[in-house]
Every structure is written in C-alpha cells, then in structure tokens.
Amino acid sequence: MTSIDLNADLGEGFGHWRLTDDEQLLSVVTSANVACGFHAGDAPTMRRVCELAAARGVRIGAQVSYRDLAGFGRRPMDVPPAELTAEVAYQIGALEVFARAAGSRVAYVKPHGALYNRAVRDEEQARAVVDGVVLAGPTLPVLGLPGSRLLELAGKAGLPAVEEAFADRAYTDEGTLVPRGEQGAVITDPGAVLTRSVDLARRGEVVARSGRRIGMRARSLCLHGDTPGAVDLARRVRDALETSGVRVEAFA
C-alpha cells in the first residue's frame, strides 16, 4: 500500500498571539514542524506543542529559520555560514529540551520560509544548515524540496534526506515553489488541494502553474496551518488520501 506522511507548521505564535490551531491540527497530522523561536514561537509555546504532540504520538520536528520574528522568517537574509550553523543547532537543541521533557524527541529538521527556499539552490547556506543539523544530532533526517542542494548535501553528510511536497503551493516547471509574492502562488480552492494531494501520493506528480504535469515524488506532504479553514482542509486531505488507498503514517 502507498503511504505518505502529513506534516504541518505548528507553534507559530508568540506570547498571547496564536496563529495556528495546534491542538486540532495535531489530531490530523503525523509530523509537527514546531517553530523554534526564530520566526515564531517561544518557550511556553514550544513546550505546550511538544506535550500535545507527544500525547498524540505525533513526531516532533524542529522548524528552523533565519532570525526574523518581524518578517515571519520569510524575508531574504544573508547570514554568515558559521553563524547560521550555530543558530540552526541552537534551535534544534532548544526544542529537544521540551520534546524530551514530554517523553519524546526531535525526530527530524525542516527549514522554514526564506531559509527553506534559499537552501534549494544556495550551496553555502544549504551546507550551513546541514552542518547545524549534524552538530545537533548526526542522525536527524532533513525534510526538504526534491532535487534541492539541501537534500543533496544532507545525504552526503549521512543524514536521511526526506523529500517533501506541498498540495497548496504552485510549482514552476523546474519543480520549485512559485514565490509567495507572485499571483497564484498559494492554491486556495479546496477541491484542487484534495486532487493534488492524491496525485502527489499515488502518482508522484503535480500540475505546475503552466499546466504541465511534473514528477514530484515525496515521502511527506505539507499542510499549512496558517491559512483560513486549515483544520477542516487538513481533515479533508487525510480523508481523501485514505479513501484513495493511501496509508497516512509518519516517516520518522
């Protein structure tokens, strides 16, 4: 039977402000990308989400990013490699404390926003991320875009490289994500998201913005938690996958 992991970005709040419905999404997904304080999240939020995830058997992942709270980690930044390596390791270590306290552990690492996209082609930044992961945990899987420099370098460093796809994001013909600032970058039609989810899981392909079908084999499917109706859509995606014969299970 075909299987796929469902991951979502969680813990993306700060103080009294909460962006994602963590508790409800944790009843749907199998892996939780927990913000580690650099683009969102704080210590109490990280602890709370780890406790909720551990109680539900959801894998905990460190969602590392550039230090950019004001821009939600989506602004381009130039960070010296040694500094970025240390900051990636720091974020993973901070989350590991709360994961272990909850009776779990950090099971994988996923870059967020601008860092995620930069590491697709920028070898220097991708290597700095990988070096940070190795520093924090030399066997941690890295989640990223198929064909990215990040996954290539992770594999060379002996880290499990896990390919990820997005059902609600538009793709270029080259298999990269259409930048969020461009029209149509985010897929908002629920029917289209459901169809794309099943196509990605069962056929390993997605329709690019041009209308061309491109190969997109992935072990994990990302569901964004910061969009309106995210919880309902996540449930519908999981139902559609399971109805089509896809087993939903964590990769880590």
Side-chain angles (χ1 to χ4, degrees):
M1 179 183 288
T2 300
S3 66
I4 198 163
D5 170 69
L6 290 181
N7 76 76
D9 302 343
L10 302 178
E12 291 185 323
F14 194 82
H16 293 295
W17 176 66
R18 293 188 183 182
L19 179 63
T20 51
D21 189 341
D22 301 323
E23 188 164 4
Q24 293 301 315
L25 283 168
L26 283 167
S27 69
V28 181
V29 301
T30 46
S31 297
N33 316 317
V34 184
C36 297
F38 272 39
H39 76 280
D42 53 26
T45 301
M46 292 161 67
R47 182 179 185 181
R48 175 178 56 81
V49 176
C50 284
E51 289 173 347
L52 289 170
R56 290 162 174 73
V58 175
R59 302 297 187 270
I60 297 171
Q63 190 177 31
V64 299
S65 68
Y66 288 128
R67 189 188 292 272
D68 180 28
L69 275 175
F72 198 62
R74 287 178 176 162
R75 297 185 294 190
M77 301 184 76
D78 289 308
V79 180
E83 182 178 335
L84 181 57
T85 291
E87 291 189 337
V88 166
Y90 175 90
Q91 292 175 78
I92 298 168
L95 188 65
E96 179 70 7
V97 169
F98 298 120
R100 287 191 177 275
S104 186
R105 63 183 176 85
V106 171
Y108 65 95
V109 178
K110 174 185 172 177
H112 165 80
L115 182 56
Y116 185 98
N117 291 317
R118 180 81 173 266
V120 171
R121 293 195 176 98
D122 190 317
E123 180 166 353
E124 185 178 67
Q125 295 285 279
R127 189 179 301 280
V129 173
V130 170
D131 288 346
V133 176
V134 171
L135 184 61
T139 62
L140 283 172
V142 175
L143 195 59
L145 199 71
S148 64
R149 299 295 287 160
L150 175 68
L151 292 191
E152 178 187 348
L153 293 172
K156 288 180 178 179
L159 303 173
V162 182
E163 297 174 320
E164 172 188 42
F166 297 80
D168 62 351
R169 289 296 308 277
Y171 283 89
T172 68
D173 285 353
E174 292 71 40
T176 58
L177 296 174
V178 173
R180 278 184 173 268
E182 296 185 16
Q183 186 175 3
V186 178
I187 310 299
T188 58
D189 175 47
V193 173
L194 298 182
T195 298
R196 289 162 71 89
S197 298
V198 174
D199 282 349
L200 283 163
R202 292 193 60 82
R203 300 182 178 86
E205 64 180 23
V206 68
V207 178
R209 183 169 60 172
S210 67
R212 175 186 172 191
R213 285 190 171 270
I214 59 173
M216 185 62 57
R217 296 201 173 275
R219 181 67 189 85
S220 186
L221 184 65
C222 181
L223 305 174
H224 282 104
D226 60 345
T227 54
V231 173
D232 178 64
L233 183 58
R235 290 188 177 124
R236 292 176 64 185
V237 166
R238 179 158 186 162
D239 287 345
L241 289 169
E242 292 176 337
T243 299
S244 70
V246 176
R247 183 173 62 248
V248 177
E249 62 181 4
F251 67 83

